[in-house]
Amino acid sequence: MGTRTVLRHIPAAAVSEGAGVLVHRSLGTPGLRHLDPFLMLDHFASANPDDYIAGFPDHPHRGFVTLTYMLDGHMEHRDSMGNRGDLRAGGIQWMKAASGVIHSEMPRQVDGLMRGFQLWINLPSAQKMTDPAYLEVPAAGIPELTEGDAQVRVISGTLGQVRGPIDDPHTELLYLDVRVNAGGWARLPVPSGHAGFLYAFEGRLEVAGDRVETHQLALLGEGDAIEAAAPGGPARFILVAGRPLGEPVVQHGPFVMSTREEIEQAMRDYREGRLVRTAARVTGSPA
Ligand code: MN
């Protein structure tokens, strides 16, 4: 097996979400609708409070997992399971919406830099109507190691002997935050057969001879590793990969199911106050 090349570059598009939060969306746009098992990637990055202060007041989700990685800033999370989360810089929030969650994600700061990612990961159809679950991991719970000329934070999956705190058994999720030193180079294993992409968010990269600019998603071809260099100065990216589910995806906003009927049911359930089946607090391992 060889090194993965870049099949396509998808520049992030500015989108207004929630009550008026500016996000850079790459996956989940007409340029790349879905990448089984991934549904959406939003990057929020702004030092201007007008771009984020309105936050994401109460809204529903059904049928998938959201994984939020906070780089800078401070957000408060409240959900219909009874969780009250406190997401700080370097921390991770994993939320399996499954049969239904209503939650809010609101900034706790009124100025300064707010930066992070939210990735939507699909669930197999047999999992979509199971109970929701929630897990928060602070920065100190995410292992970091050196690989070549890069510092790598392992959020999910394994790198060498190091295993990240988030485990998505349905997709065998790999999620790494990689910082390559100026002029440096790193080779990182990615399971072959898994869909994969990287997203550059500081500096620019060279991946298998291709240039990847800041705020670009690079869709990766087949192979068992990537090679990333940072010839023009330090560069930082997230590397994400997962096993495709190979199931139909029918999406309507925050509801992602397998059939149109299930979407209509979700809309009806939400309208009639039946989206949330499990109001009890459910916290624990993603497995
Ligand atoms: Mn949400």
Side-chain angles (χ1 to χ4, degrees), residues 16-22 51-61 75-80 95 101-107 118 120 254 270:
S16 180
E17 268 297 331
V21 177
L22 182 73
D51 289 341
Y52 62 75
I53 204 73
F56 300 89
D58 271 350
H59 60 277
H61 293 287
M75 288 254 253
E76 185 181 82
H77 162 100
R78 291 181 196 224
D79 67 38
S80 49
M95 189 180 79
V101 164
I102 295 175
H103 76 154
S104 64
E105 300 152 285
M106 301 299 288
Q118 188 169 86
W120 290 13
Y270 181 51

Side-chain angles (χ1 to χ4, degrees), residues 4-196:
R4 291 182 179 231
T5 57
V6 176
L7 293 182
R8 274 163 68 194
H9 299 75
I10 293 103
V15 177
S16 180
E17 268 297 331
V21 177
L22 182 73
V23 300
H24 306 279
R25 181 167 299 166
S26 44
L27 182 56
T29 61
L32 184 59
R33 189 43 73 192
H34 296 137
L35 178 65
D36 184 15
F38 306 113
L39 302 165
M40 198 187 79
L41 179 70
D42 279 353
H43 175 42
F44 46 99
S46 178
N48 176 4
D50 293 343
D51 289 341
Y52 62 75
I53 204 73
F56 300 89
D58 271 350
H59 60 277
H61 293 287
R62 175 179 277 180
F64 58 100
V65 167
T66 65
L67 188 58
T68 307
Y69 180 30
M70 200 77 174
L71 295 164
D72 295 285
H74 186 183
M75 288 254 253
E76 185 181 82
H77 162 100
R78 291 181 196 224
D79 67 38
S80 49
M81 291 174 269
N83 295 299
R84 185 167 172 171
D86 186 18
L87 194 53
R88 289 169 183 270
I92 281 281
Q93 182 205 68
W94 174 89
M95 189 180 79
K96 181 184 180 184
S99 58
V101 164
I102 295 175
H103 76 154
S104 64
E105 300 152 285
M106 301 299 288
R108 282 291 302 273
Q109 62 182 50
V110 293
D111 55 27
L113 183 60
M114 178 78 81
R115 213 163 58 122
F117 291 97
Q118 188 169 86
L119 176 70
W120 290 13
I121 308 162
N122 203 9
L123 280 169
S125 55
Q127 282 284 320
K128 284 180 181 289
M129 291 304 283
T130 57
D131 287 340
Y134 181 86
L135 180 69
E136 219 177 281
V137 181
I142 299 173
E144 189 166 331
L145 69 154
T146 301
E147 186 74 37
D149 302 316
Q151 284 74 52
V152 186
R153 302 189 82 215
V154 184
I155 292 159
S156 182
T158 53
L159 181 59
Q161 302 300 309
V162 175
R163 186 168 189 84
I166 301 297
D167 181 23
D168 189 305
H170 314 296
T171 63
E172 296 162 46
L173 176 68
L174 175 73
Y175 192 130
L176 308 176
D177 171 0
V178 185
R179 215 180 311 217
V180 188
N181 302 333
W185 178 89
R187 181 179 172 90
L188 301 160
V190 181
S192 56
H194 288 196

Side-chain angles (χ1 to χ4, degrees), residues 235-249:
R236 193 172 173 192
F237 63 95
I238 54 168
L239 173 64
V240 177
R243 187 161 44 83
L245 299 173
E247 293 183 358
V249 177

